[in-house]
Amino acid sequence: MGSLEHLVECDKTEYANVNWDELGFALTKTDYMFVMNWCKDGEKFSEGVLTRFGNIELCPSSGILNYGQGLFEGLKAYRKEDERILLFRPEENALRMQMGADRMCMPSPTVQQFLDAVKKTVLANKRWVPPHGRGALYVRPLLMGTSPNLGVKPASEYTFLVYASPVGSYHKGPNLNLVVEDKTHRATPGGTGGVKAVINYSPVYKALSEAKAKGFTDVLFLDALTGKYIEEGSACNVFVLKENVISTPPAHGTILPGITRKSIIEIALTFGYQVEERAVPIEQVLDAEEVFCTGTAMVVRSVASITYKEKRIEYKMGAETVAQKLYATLTGIQTGLIEDKMGWTVAID
Ligand SMILES: *Cc1c(COP(=O)(O)O)cnc(C)c1O
């Protein structure tokens, strides 16, 4: 790894050759990934190493390929104005991966192992962290069962892998026009909707593709038990605002407990809004003043419209919205423009 350290040393001020202003949320391959294995002899994760980013080998009968025993995480590294790099609440991702690993019967890296892996991955790919204000390095940790597994049972070997890709600021994208999905469901009580299990995402593609074919940007799922209450989008949490009250569905197992969601709740409280984590009937959404979505990729975005049973409701958008105020504060903290009184950011260089 001597040459790697050398490269990282030399790269202090250099940037990769990227057109930063054209970045979306597609994969841009970077230089290195971090890999750490867990074996049943010893029952712990190995040291872990940075290797060149590239394809990995898997047994055709691995647990991840056959039974979807896998989890992912997502977090961003931002460059401050002075070029230093900040991670946003990375220990929350580490803890969420531990919760998910417990649900999926997998061993999980310790918080320290997770943080070390994320830091090493970001620093090794430092030249891919976009300049201040022009995006972020999106970091994607994976945890998966890799041993051969013919029977339906947990794998006996696991891999924790971290890769990264520069992404643009999602804010420039098209308006969010959601359609309420009343045929399929993302999650059921007792299922895995509350963890970032890989098995939660492709089942959503059908509803999402149909919605996109009709010109919508995302679906809004309803609870599977009654079909009366909103849950979330395909990969974002949802909030509604009416008067001084901001409401969002409770994270009780069928919605993903977003770290952006949690942060927005805390910021909204400091602004003096009343925040309610409660079941939100779809009727109340149709009656709201503002609706917005949150997630690491989009941070906070206003919803322009929601369509439910052929009826389209439009919401307040633009610079005067509460969503915009929350967005400005959160991104200000994430990028080091606003003093981080919450202790959420971690400088890593
Ligand atoms: C990741 C994710 C979110 C957002 O979580 P953040 O921690 O804010 O990125 C919301 N919903 C689903 C289904 C997700 O997978």
Side-chain angles (χ1 to χ4, degrees):
M1 287 287 117
S3 60
L4 172 66
E5 271 149 37
H6 176 69
L7 190 146
V8 172
E9 268 311 296
C10 294
D11 262 0
K12 281 221 164 79
T13 54
E14 221 180 272
Y15 279 97
N17 185 16
V18 174
N19 187 346
W20 305 108
D21 298 320
E22 291 199 345
L23 283 174
F25 201 76
L27 177 74
T28 300
K29 292 177 181 173
T30 54
D31 300 322
Y32 296 98
M33 61 188 187
F34 180 90
V35 185
M36 187 164 87
N37 294 311
W38 187 93
C39 299
K40 69 172 180 285
D41 326 320
E43 305 242 317
K44 62 177 175 35
F45 280 97
S46 60
E47 241 335 272
V49 285
L50 283 166
T51 60
R52 279 272 166 193
F53 178 86
N55 293 350
I56 57 169
E57 245 177 44
L58 281 173
C59 177
S61 98
S62 61
I64 180 71
L65 289 181
N66 291 257
Y67 302 120
Q69 197 188 14
L71 287 169
F72 70 94
E73 267 304 328
L75 67 158
K76 279 175 171 173
Y78 292 91
R79 217 181 268 270
K80 289 176 70 179
E81 277 178 311
D82 66 4
E83 302 273 320
R84 294 199 70 195
I85 295 174
L86 297 178
L87 294 174
F88 184 70
R89 308 189 81 173
E91 64 295 333
E92 292 286 335
N93 297 88
L95 292 168
R96 190 166 66 186
M97 178 164 267
Q98 292 189 335
M99 276 172 28
D102 183 61
R103 178 67 181 82
M104 302 296 285
C105 290
M106 297 194 279
S108 175
T110 63
V111 171
Q112 200 52 51
Q113 283 172 323
F114 184 100
L115 295 181
D116 283 347
V118 167
K119 284 180 196 172
K120 283 185 176 139
T121 309
V122 173
L123 291 177
N125 294 301
K126 192 171 176 180
R127 66 195 192 99
W128 300 93
V129 184
H132 176 80
R134 292 162 83 187
L137 186 72
Y138 181 75
V139 182
R140 174 53 69 86
L142 300 175
L143 181 63
M144 57 197 154
T146 44
S147 58
N149 223 38
L150 208 46
V152 177
K153 63 172 196 297
S156 53
E157 287 163 22
Y158 295 85
T159 295
F160 175 67
L161 186 155
V162 186
Y163 69 92
S165 170
V167 295
S169 81
Y170 203 104
H171 241 66
K172 299 175 295 191
N175 277 349
L176 284 185
N177 292 295
L178 311 186
V179 59
V180 177
E181 169 61 30
D182 52 10
K183 295 185 297 292
T184 65
H185 295 282
R186 196 192 84 90
T188 50
T192 55
V195 299
K196 266 180 130 65
V198 299
I199 50 168
N200 291 340
Y201 298 85
S202 49
V204 168
Y205 292 170
K206 196 169 163 63
L208 194 56
S209 316
E210 285 170 12
K212 286 192 172 164
K214 292 182 191 146
F216 298 106
T217 39
D218 199 357
V219 289
L220 176 56
F221 287 106
L222 298 175
D223 77 289
L225 276 189
T226 69
K228 287 187 182 148
Y229 304 97
I230 60 161
E231 298 226 300
E232 60 177 323
S234 55
C236 59
N237 296 116
V238 179
F239 289 77
V240 301
L241 172 98
K242 179 137 192 202
E243 282 144 23
N244 200 40
V245 185
I246 296 176
S247 310
T248 193
H252 288 162
T254 56
I255 71 159
L256 199 285
I259 296 161
T260 320
R261 172 186 179 277
K262 183 172 173 175
S263 308
I264 284 299
I265 290 174
E266 292 179 53
I267 294 172
L269 288 171
T270 66
F271 282 166
Y273 292 97
Q274 186 180 327
V275 181
E276 295 183 350
E277 291 182 72
R278 58 166 176 97
V280 182
I282 180 67
E283 282 74 27
Q284 289 181 11
V285 179
L286 304 178
D287 193 37
E289 290 156 26
E290 259 184 62
V291 178
F292 54 90
C293 291
T294 66
T296 295
M298 64 172 65
V299 190
V300 182
R301 283 198 71 191
S302 291
V303 170
S305 76
I306 294 182
T307 299
Y308 180 53
K309 297 191 190 295
E310 311 293 315
K311 192 170 158 205
R312 181 184 164 107
I313 315 289
E314 295 188 345
Y315 301 99
K316 189 171 170 190
M317 298 280 290
E320 300 304 310
T321 55
V322 172
Q324 181 54 36
K325 190 162 95 174
L326 295 169
Y327 170 82
T329 304
L330 183 53
T331 51
I333 295 170
Q334 288 170 329
T335 60
L337 288 178
I338 296 177
E339 189 198 346
D340 174 18
K341 292 190 185 129
M342 310 282 204
W344 285 344
T345 55
V346 179
I348 58 167
D349 59 344

